[in-house]
Amino acid sequence: MDHSSNTPAAVGEMPPGRPLQTEFNDGLDYPRLGNVTFRRGSLTDNQQALFAEHWPRLGRVLEDERIDIEEWFGRSGAKTVVEIGSGTGTSTAAMAPLEQDTNIVAVELYKPGLAKLLGQVVRQDIDNIRMVRGDGIEVLARMFAPESLDGIRVFFPDPWPKARHHKRRIIQSGPLNLFASRLKPGGVLHVATDHAGYAEWIDELVEVEPTLRYRGWPWPECPQLTDRQVITKFEGKGLNQDHVIKEYLWEKRPQ
């Protein structure tokens, strides 16, 4: 499908006005997204040219339309993993060639980060990465069908360290329920953090979602690649500061 007709004039930009948020009324805790906006950032001339040429094929922006994965990637039968908060895409691009049988959808708010990932995809001719610009919760809720994903990855999410901001953390009961709803039975949720306070927070939530079975770390029989193979710049900063990286794996329970 040619999505260029759906794309705003400024490639990769949201239409004017902030999109309405999905309503969650299940009594679960969801991040408060009222002040979330698209982070601004300028692109180089080369990045602008790459966006103009390649984004209509490789990228989409948040919208109320389910993604047809097979049509977008041009193949059927492949596994599909969504990475929430892909940043500049360093680990995304490094992992993708090791997972040729997997469709990778990188979700990120920050346009310069997506531009860097797009550049890597084009230069390295990586054919199993697509990108969505938008908030991860909104993208999952509005653009992916229930039980359509084999995996969801949340690597080094914003820890929101101040207590008054903890309600903005993405790992809490509501998102875990949403993640589980989008995973196929047997699908994998993989989370990593190097923030000790956030790790303690997650430790309290590993059993909160009944449809997810917590597998801990490591999980040798995990059906997905879990070794990211490269130390991303985020991990490198953490290691330099003697931070401990803690990883979590859950499996969607069979029905």
Side-chain angles (χ1 to χ4, degrees):
M1 179 183 297
D2 180 5
H3 297 292
S4 58
S5 60
N6 300 332
T7 306
V11 178
E13 293 289 354
M14 290 295 296
R18 186 176 176 280
L20 294 176
Q21 289 178 20
T22 303
E23 294 294 331
F24 300 107
N25 298 308
D26 299 322
L28 302 175
D29 294 323
Y30 278 88
R32 276 54 168 183
L33 304 177
N35 293 324
V36 171
T37 57
F38 279 77
R39 295 171 60 189
R40 299 296 179 183
S42 60
L43 304 187
T44 66
D45 290 344
N46 183 56
Q47 288 175 330
Q48 291 281 14
L50 283 173
F51 246 83
E53 180 177 357
H54 298 284
W55 183 263
R57 176 175 63 90
L58 298 175
R60 300 182 68 167
V61 295
L62 174 65
E63 60 184 336
D64 284 313
E65 180 181 342
R66 298 288 198 210
I67 295 174
D68 186 326
I69 292 293
E70 292 188 355
E71 190 170 46
W72 201 16
F73 283 85
R75 61 179 178 177
S76 61
K79 295 183 293 184
T80 299
V81 171
V82 170
E83 182 178 353
I84 302 297
S86 56
T88 59
T90 303
S91 62
T92 311
M95 292 169 66
L98 305 174
E99 300 179 288
Q100 287 291 337
D101 63 339
T102 301
N103 302 323
I104 307 295
V105 181
V107 179
E108 175 58 48
L109 278 167
Y110 189 45
K111 188 175 181 180
L114 288 169
K116 289 182 179 180
L117 176 56
L118 181 64
Q120 293 179 84
V121 169
V122 172
R123 287 190 301 272
Q124 299 174 34
D125 195 24
I126 301 173
D127 61 3
N128 61 327
I129 291 179
R130 301 291 185 271
M131 289 153 280
V132 179
R133 190 175 186 214
D135 173 80
I137 295 296
E138 295 290 320
V139 169
L140 277 178
R142 294 159 63 176
M143 299 184 73
F144 289 94
E147 298 195 344
S148 62
L149 301 176
D150 297 274
I152 296 171
R153 293 167 177 165
V154 188
F155 294 157
F156 306 96
D158 192 329
W160 294 104
K162 295 182 180 179
R164 68 178 183 271
H165 292 155
H166 285 180
K167 62 188 178 182
R168 299 182 183 180
R169 288 174 168 174
I170 193 171
I171 304 300
Q172 42 190 311
S173 59
L176 287 170
N177 177 261
L178 175 63
F179 297 160
S181 75
R182 294 314 188 248
L183 288 172
K184 300 174 183 177
V188 175
L189 170 63
H190 185 183
V191 175
T193 184
D194 67 344
H195 187 278
Y198 207 167
E200 292 176 1
W201 169 281
I202 298 172
D203 287 342
E204 296 295 322
L205 296 170
V206 293
E207 303 287 354
V208 73
E209 173 50 50
T211 62
L212 291 176
R213 178 185 178 188
Y214 183 55
R215 287 288 198 165
W217 182 270
W219 175 17
E221 298 82 19
C222 183
Q224 293 179 24
L225 175 69
T226 55
D227 183 353
R228 287 182 303 283
Q229 304 294 323
V230 297
I231 298 177
T232 70
K233 66 179 183 180
F234 301 107
E235 290 174 285
K237 290 179 181 178
L239 291 174
N240 291 338
Q241 297 171 12
D242 296 324
H243 289 187
V244 175
I245 295 171
K246 189 160 184 181
E247 313 223 18
Y248 302 83
L249 289 167
W250 291 263
E251 180 184 24
K252 173 75 173 286
R253 295 181 186 275
Q255 293 180 336

